[in-house]
């Protein structure tokens, strides 16, 4: 989306500043300066909206949003709703975090990282996500706010300041999914190469998946060690 286009008042979008008190740019960062400055306006990276009286309400950092089916979903908003639904308080510490992963159908998808004891059984993922979806609906939250995936973790990554380690959270979500691809080309002499695309959580409990061309095995209880055998040779990849 073009975040340099001025929006009608009350619509949510990127906040830009302009004025004598705005710095002129980062030293030695020409590419970054080109990205965050436009005709004298400074791109803050914050999402917000202005009401009819000119007051601005901040909605969060752009990096803490997922664009799902064209809609901007705030990670912090989802976290607050979940904390309320789970009856978590500041005294409980950080037990959940929301991040995003790429989704072929809707662009991005929400991932719930949870250190709550009741979320540690990966075999109950579907039931847990269904109950969360029902809980959010009862709280009259948007349907898109329901996480699509659950990743159980021992603890939520945090910085020394106590704030969420956003990079660490994203890394955990990315590592929870593994993609293994290879190409198949059929010639008159037979199969010269193979094609298979596998994408599944690391906590997948099945020890094998049978494809038309052979078997892909997860030998460590998760998709960390894969081997494909089509009878014409082996192709292997390890996530270790």
């Amino acid at each position: 989306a073009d975040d340099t286009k001025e929006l009608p008042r009350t619509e949510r979008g990127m906040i830009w500043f302009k004025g004598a008190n705005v710095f002129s740019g980062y030293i030695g960062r020409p590419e970054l300066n080109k990205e965050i400055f436009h005709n004298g306006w400074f791109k803050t990276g914050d999402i917000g909206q202005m009401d009819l009286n000119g007051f601005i309400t901040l909605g969060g950092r752009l990096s803490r949003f997922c664009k799902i089916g064209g809609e901007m979903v705030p990670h912090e908003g989802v976290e607050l709703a979940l904390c309320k639904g789970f009856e978590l308080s500041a005294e409980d510490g950080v037990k959940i975090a929301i991040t995003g992963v790429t989704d072929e159908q809707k662009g991005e998808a929400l991932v719930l990282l949870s250190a709550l004891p009741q979320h540690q059984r990966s075999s109950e993922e579907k039931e847990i996500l269904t109950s969360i979806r029902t809980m959010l609906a009862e709280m009259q939250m948007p349907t898109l706010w329901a996480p699509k995936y659950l990743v159980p973790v021992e603890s939520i990554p945090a910085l020394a300041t106590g704030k969420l380690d956003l990079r660490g959270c994203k890394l955990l979500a990315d590592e929870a999914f593994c993609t293994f691809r290879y190409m198949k080309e059929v010639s008159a002499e037979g199969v010269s190469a193979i094609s298979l695309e596998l994408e599944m959580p690391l906590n997948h409990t099945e020890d094998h998946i049978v494809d038309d061309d052979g078997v892909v095995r997860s030998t460590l209880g998760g998709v960390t060690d894969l081997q494909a055998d089509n009878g014409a040779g082996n192709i292997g990849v390890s996530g270790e």
Side-chain angles (χ1 to χ4, degrees):
D2 182 7
D3 56 18
T4 64
K5 180 182 178 182
E6 185 174 355
L7 299 175
R9 186 168 290 195
T10 74
E11 284 196 23
R12 185 168 61 183
M14 178 63 64
I15 298 176
W16 293 75
F17 286 157
K18 185 177 184 179
N21 59 339
V22 177
F23 78 126
S24 59
Y26 292 100
I27 298 176
R29 303 290 299 277
E31 293 301 321
L32 176 59
N33 292 332
K34 183 178 179 181
E35 178 184 344
I36 63 176
F37 284 96
H38 182 72
N39 293 333
W41 288 87
F42 169 60
K43 180 180 177 179
T44 65
D46 292 310
I47 300 296
Q49 60 189 115
M50 181 181 292
D51 63 21
L52 296 177
N53 295 316
F55 291 98
I56 294 177
T57 300
L58 295 177
R61 298 289 294 174
L62 178 63
S63 59
R64 294 231 65 203
F65 278 79
C66 274
K67 192 169 186 180
I68 304 176
E71 296 291 330
M72 298 296 287
V73 179
H75 296 179
E76 290 178 283
V78 178
E79 289 167 352
L80 289 173
L82 292 176
C83 284
K84 182 178 180 180
F86 296 147
E87 298 182 348
L88 298 175
S89 64
E91 289 72 21
D92 296 314
V94 181
K95 296 297 183 181
I96 63 168
I98 291 291
T99 187
V101 293
T102 302
D103 184 81
E104 292 185 357
Q105 295 181 336
K106 295 189 176 182
E108 290 183 286
L110 294 180
V111 177
L112 169 61
L113 303 179
S114 177
L116 294 173
Q118 63 267 34
H119 294 164
Q120 297 306 302
R121 293 185 178 180
S122 58
S123 59
E124 299 176 358
E125 179 184 11
K126 290 184 179 180
E127 292 78 5
I128 294 171
L129 291 175
T130 298
S131 67
I132 291 175
R133 189 177 301 110
T134 301
M135 178 185 72
L136 291 175
E138 292 175 349
M139 297 169 64
Q140 298 184 338
M141 296 297 170
T143 304
L144 290 177
W145 284 31
K148 185 173 182 179
Y149 302 108
L150 168 67
V151 177
V153 295
E154 292 184 4
S155 61
I156 302 297
L159 303 174
T161 58
K163 295 182 179 180
L164 280 178
D165 179 356
L166 302 182
R167 187 185 299 272
C169 289
K170 185 69 170 67
L171 182 61
L172 281 178
D174 289 340
E175 287 182 345
F177 297 87
C178 178
T179 302
F180 179 51
R181 297 181 177 88
Y182 57 97
M183 299 296 292
K184 177 177 71 177
E185 296 178 1
V186 180
S187 64
E189 299 178 355
V191 178
S192 57
I194 309 172
S195 175
L196 172 69
E197 182 173 314
L198 170 66
E199 186 171 335
M200 56 190 287
L202 281 175
N203 58 16
H204 198 283
T205 56
E206 294 183 10
D207 62 357
H208 70 279
I209 296 176
V210 179
D211 182 72
D212 292 338
D213 296 305
V215 176
V216 175
R217 295 183 178 86
S218 171
T219 61
L220 300 179
V223 189
T224 55
D225 188 83
L226 303 179
Q227 183 179 38
D229 185 352
N230 73 326
N234 297 328
I235 303 175
V237 60
S238 174
E240 294 291 287

